[in-house]
Amino acid sequence: MSVTSPYRQAWEGFWSEAPDDAEAVFWDADPALTAAVHLPLFTPLLADPGLPLLDLGCGNGTQTRFLAGRFPHVVGVDLAASALDHARRADPAGTAGYRVLDATEKSETATLHAELGDTNVYMRGVLHQCEPDDRQPLVDGIATLVGERGRVFLVELAEAAGIALKALAQGPEGPPAKLAPVFRHGIAPGEVADAVVPEYLRAAGLTVLASGELPLVTTEHTADGSRIEVPSKWIVAGRTA
């Protein structure tokens, strides 16, 4: 079942209103604080670093452009065309490719895999935006994309993040300015149990190769000026011989 309709409406609305300014979006932190931190965890476990790299749920492409400087063929994919409009405007040199993809739709992931072959996949904070019934189809789509030789690096909010986000949203002055649009467009994150994420991967035929914990750095700051960080967990997975 395609989940395009409810999610696409929400994300198209969000990205249509989002400004182009750097760090204007809650999770759109500088790559030095995000993808650059993830690469040392991910790249040693790649079976083939020369495979195309997909930035799944790329949004406005901040991390995609960074990754494009470190891998030979990078494609940012997102459900929302308006997000990709941001990404293309920010990448006039065309350092990466961009295309619309509903990764829960089997026919779409199969078509992309037929075009690109096995890929490595970088995905940050997408699974927890899905309804529970859509999470396994998303991971199944990732398994299609990585094929036999690819690897996926998955970063998701930890269970403890729900407490932190609720505290931010329910503060005396309301949610922070950059978090408010997320709630307004109906894309507030859902809770995903920490133990369930590896099970989704195993059910899709993937083996967990490594895992750990890292804070998810945001672009918002506390009253004292420090960045807000949200607990998250990371996993590297792929098929093994």
Side-chain angles (χ1 to χ4, degrees), residues 9 22 30-31 33 40 43 52 56 66 69 95 97 104 111-112 153 175-176 182 207 209 215 224 227 234 239-240:
Q9 276 189 336
D30 189 294
L33 304 173
T43 52
L56 202 163
F66 173 83
T95 59
T104 67
T111 297
L112 187 56
F153 183 81
V182 179
T207 299
L209 304 173
D224 65 7
R227 278 185 183 266
W234 60 268
R239 287 190 174 86
T240 55

Side-chain angles (χ1 to χ4, degrees), residues 48-147:
D48 186 348
L51 294 178
L53 177 72
L54 295 181
D55 182 7
L56 202 163
C58 69
N60 61 0
T62 299
Q63 311 308 317
T64 318
R65 295 188 298 278
F66 173 83
L67 294 167
R70 286 145 185 87
F71 293 91
H73 183 194
V74 175
V75 180
V77 296
D78 201 279
L79 183 64
S82 55
L84 300 179
D85 290 341
H86 281 276
R88 292 187 182 101
R89 285 196 297 271
D91 187 11
T95 59
Y98 304 95
R99 61 192 297 166
V100 172
L101 178 75
D102 179 353
T104 67
E105 186 62 38
K106 182 182 290 188
S107 63
E108 293 194 26
T109 54
T111 297
L112 187 56
H113 181 262
E115 178 184 331
L116 297 179
D118 292 355
T119 64
N120 294 314
V121 175
Y122 175 80
M123 188 176 87
R124 187 172 63 104
V126 176
L127 192 63
H128 70 272
Q129 298 290 356
C130 295
E131 295 294 332
D133 288 347
D134 300 324
R135 292 169 186 160
Q136 189 63 60
L138 172 62
V139 179
D140 290 345
I142 292 170
T144 297
L145 294 167
V146 302

